Every structure is written in structure tokens, then in C-alpha cells.
Amino acid sequence: MVLTFCPNQESFFFDADTDAFIERERNTVKRTTVGQAKNEGVYLASDVVAVDVTVTANVKALQTCVNEDHPVTVFYSASDRVNLSPSETITHSIIQDGVGLHFGIQVNDWYWRSNANPYTGQWSDNAGMEVIIKNASTCDFELTTSWGDSGAPDARDVLDLTSKPTSGGCSFTVTRKATPSLHITKGCAGPCKNSNEEGCVCIGIAGGNTDNCPTEN
């Protein structure tokens, strides 16, 4: 058994002979049995799942979005992200947290939001979704709206995702829907913080409603 993750504790190792964890702190040694460890919130390898997640972006940039060098971004956390070029593949190990195994996918076209971005105030934005791995052995998954911004355009209306098990992990392939139900802003304009920016002419921005803002159909 291997100690994989131990919150709020350092300098641990597992002593297989005594079935206990040993903590070294300065000149003292603390011994914690496996049963005690579980009660104290220490996560063992049997409790923590780490999965190698491979993502392939079979997504070409839209011809209208001329500045889109990386059509897809994969988010492992708010600060840990990877931009993918068309047909590019990335593998990253993820560890389950309190809500399980998950990561985010963003498509970097521009779409109208239903409300202003709470962090930047922009009205057109990239579309995002969260991938929740339901079963690490079969790689079954569920898609939800973006966890980072619940008001972001929904990438589930733009992208398809498939998965398959691999040695030690899961492989995901991202593709565009043949008929997306979400359409990019007219001219792929963004980020549209106000209605007088080039390509952002839309009365709805000032009124807080983008339902009738122009799109590419």
C-alpha cells in the first residue's frame, strides 16, 4: 500500500511491517495505524484514484475566427490549462478531489453570453463544459456546464466528446458537432465589453440581454 495524498501532513511514509504510517517531524516520530489514518482524513492509495487523461482535439479553427490558433483549451484547474492546436494531443494525470475525477474543456470561438462575465464584464465569450469521469476503468463520463463560470456559453452545444480506456487511463477525443445549436457572434467578434466595439453592435448589451445579438448562422 502506498500513501498517495495526505492533506495537511508532510514527511509521511508507510511501514508495511507494522501496517502503519510514520510521520517524522523534527526530532519526533508519530506512528498512525491504517485505521486511525482513515479516521483522521488521510487518503490511501485505495481511497485516491489517479488517472492519466489523454485529450485529442480533432477540432479545426472556424474560418470566420481568423485569430484562433488554438481551438480547444483543457482545464485541469483554474491555473493549470493547456491550449491545443487542431489534431494536437495532450496527456495529463488527474487525481480525484471531493467531487471526483473531472476536468474542463473550452472551445475558443466567440459566443454571446446570457449575462456579463462576472470577472471581466465581457458579453461574448468562449464556451466551456466540465467532464466528470464516472468510472475510471470504463471511462464513462458525464458532461455538465462549466464549473468555473456557470453563465458561460455551453460547449455541449458545440462539441462532441468520446472516450475509451487506455493503459492506466482514459483517452478523450473532442470534435465539433455537425450541426451546433450555438452559433458564434457575427464575424466571431469578441470579447464585446460594450456595444461600440468593432463587430459588437448589439442593443442587447446595454440592456443586459443578448438574445437578438447578431450571429453567424
Side-chain angles (χ1 to χ4, degrees):
M1 187 178 291
V2 178
L3 180 67
T4 303
F5 176 65
C6 180
N8 304 319
Q9 300 285 352
E10 296 180 353
S11 302
F12 265 83
F13 69 91
F14 183 70
D15 182 1
D17 293 333
T18 60
D19 199 33
F21 293 99
I22 308 300
E23 177 191 2
R24 299 189 184 280
E25 184 176 350
R26 295 182 181 175
N27 296 322
T28 64
V29 175
K30 177 183 177 182
R31 183 178 299 276
T32 304
T33 67
V34 170
Q36 291 173 322
K38 288 190 174 184
N39 289 334
E40 293 178 11
V42 175
Y43 292 85
L44 313 180
S46 56
D47 302 320
V48 174
V49 177
V51 175
D52 286 337
V53 170
T54 299
V55 179
T56 299
N58 284 347
V59 177
K60 293 183 178 179
L62 296 178
Q63 187 174 4
T64 310
C65 301
V66 294
N67 296 317
E68 188 176 292
D69 295 328
H70 303 93
V72 169
T73 299
V74 182
F75 284 82
Y76 302 103
S77 69
S79 59
D80 187 4
R81 68 188 74 176
V82 179
N83 295 322
L84 298 182
S85 301
S87 302
E88 187 176 356
T89 296
I90 185 72
T91 298
H92 193 292
S93 182
I94 62 174
I95 298 177
Q96 69 177 11
D97 56 20
V99 293
L101 293 159
H102 60 96
F103 61 98
I105 293 179
Q106 176 178 287
V107 58
N108 295 319
D109 317 320
W110 292 101
Y111 301 89
W112 291 113
R113 297 176 56 95
S114 58
N115 61 349
N117 184 305
Y119 308 105
T120 65
Q122 66 195 62
W123 280 93
S124 68
D125 213 338
N126 310 128
M129 62 185 182
E130 196 75 15
V131 183
I132 304 167
I133 301 175
K134 307 293 287 185
N135 186 314
S137 60
T138 64
C139 300
D140 290 342
F141 65 91
E142 174 187 358
L143 297 178
T144 69
T145 55
S146 170
W147 286 6
D149 177 5
S150 59
D154 195 340
R156 295 178 299 175
D157 297 329
V158 181
L159 301 176
D160 283 325
L161 188 68
T162 58
S163 70
K164 63 180 181 181
T166 60
S167 177
C170 297
S171 179
F172 293 87
T173 300
V174 188
T175 56
R176 286 191 185 275
K177 288 184 177 295
T179 308
S181 57
L182 189 65
H183 302 290
I184 62 172
T185 59
K186 190 72 174 178
C188 201
C192 296
K193 292 186 178 181
N194 56 68
S195 58
N196 61 10
E197 293 179 35
E198 184 178 357
C200 299
V201 178
C202 179
I203 297 174
I205 292 179
N209 186 317
T210 58
D211 289 347
N212 297 316
C213 289
T215 61
E216 297 281 347
N217 296 320

